[in-house]
Amino acid sequence: MSVLPLVFTSGWASGINAYAVVLLFGIFGATGLTDEVPASLQRTDVLVAAAVLFLCEAVADKIPYVDSIWDSVHTVIRPIAGAVVGALLAGQNGSLPELAAGAVGGSTALLSHFVKAGTRMAVNTSPEPFSNVALSLAEDLGVAAIVTFAVFHPVTAAVIAAVLLLAGLAILVFLAQRIRRFWRRRSQRREERRLAATGARPRTQGPPDDGSDHF
């Protein structure tokens, strides 16, 4: 069970930024800071690909609405990355079945991804872009700090990741109204683009008729 905290933390971090997790683990393993990282994550081609994709995410993640499109695409990628990294960590250590470790990493990544994506939908209801940049930088720094801390103190890092995950889920419930507003605005923009493409005018809806006379 010694590798389980590291698997859980890597899954939580993968749900936020999977490429940063692969890149950090690969660098830590290649530099000899830890022997928990399998050789497959230390390969040069893996590190280069993770670095390029991390830079792409660093840019897309700070642009309003583009970040939500990016999150939608990564709804599948991040849980798979969390499951693969968890299975590789368990396979290297040998103390956990790879299937169970993959399930822990993948499910944790899926939950943290939902928190990240839902929070971004709520933030995108704000007209200014600075909140997106601030939140993205906080996520990047948080992932880097937790993953680095997990290499040396895996149990404590797992506890911190669990607290952050629960807090994020609670915040997501609190922001549910703003998330619904995001989906309404997105649907409205799609309708406007569709009407513009067909040359039609958007329909205007008057106030509901309550049966009373207005003068």
Side-chain angles (χ1 to χ4, degrees):
M1 299 294 291
S2 60
V3 76
L4 181 59
L6 188 60
V7 169
F8 179 86
T9 304
S10 66
W12 170 83
S14 295
I16 299 174
N17 195 326
Y19 306 123
V21 174
V22 174
L23 182 61
L24 287 171
F25 273 135
I27 292 175
F28 293 154
T31 55
L33 289 178
T34 178
D35 57 357
E36 297 287 344
V37 179
S40 55
L41 294 180
Q42 304 177 34
R43 291 170 43 182
T44 302
D45 56 340
V46 173
L47 292 176
V48 171
V52 172
L53 291 171
F54 170 75
L55 292 176
C56 293
E57 176 152 342
V59 175
D61 210 35
K62 295 173 177 60
I63 304 175
Y65 292 100
V66 174
D67 57 353
S68 290
I69 297 174
W70 184 271
D71 287 337
S72 298
V73 175
H74 285 73
T75 301
V76 176
I77 297 175
R78 287 169 181 159
I80 291 177
V84 171
V85 171
L88 289 174
L89 292 173
Q92 177 76 3
N93 185 275
S95 61
L96 265 183
E98 293 184 19
L99 183 60
V104 171
S107 58
T108 307
L110 183 62
L111 288 175
S112 61
H113 165 75
F114 283 150
V115 171
K116 173 187 171 74
T119 304
R120 287 309 181 88
M121 290 179 189
V123 170
N124 282 334
T125 61
S126 175
E128 46 78 28
F130 303 106
S131 53
N132 295 74
V133 176
L135 186 58
S136 178
L137 289 175
E139 290 170 351
D140 294 340
L141 293 175
V143 166
I146 295 297
V147 171
T148 303
F149 189 66
V151 171
F152 304 99
H153 305 282
V155 176
T156 306
V159 173
I160 296 174
V163 172
L164 291 175
L165 180 60
L166 293 175
L169 292 172
I171 293 174
L172 194 61
V173 173
F174 178 76
L175 295 175
Q177 183 176 0
R178 299 193 68 175
I179 294 172
R180 288 194 295 268
R181 190 185 310 166
F182 169 86
W183 285 114
R184 286 196 298 267
R185 287 185 179 181
R186 188 175 181 181
S187 300
Q188 182 180 0
R189 290 187 178 187
R190 287 181 177 177
E191 180 67 13
E192 291 174 353
R193 287 195 296 265
R194 186 187 68 82
L195 294 174
T198 58
R201 293 183 178 180
R203 293 180 300 176
T204 57
Q205 183 179 1
D209 186 6
D210 55 2
S212 61
D213 295 329
H214 299 278
F215 298 94

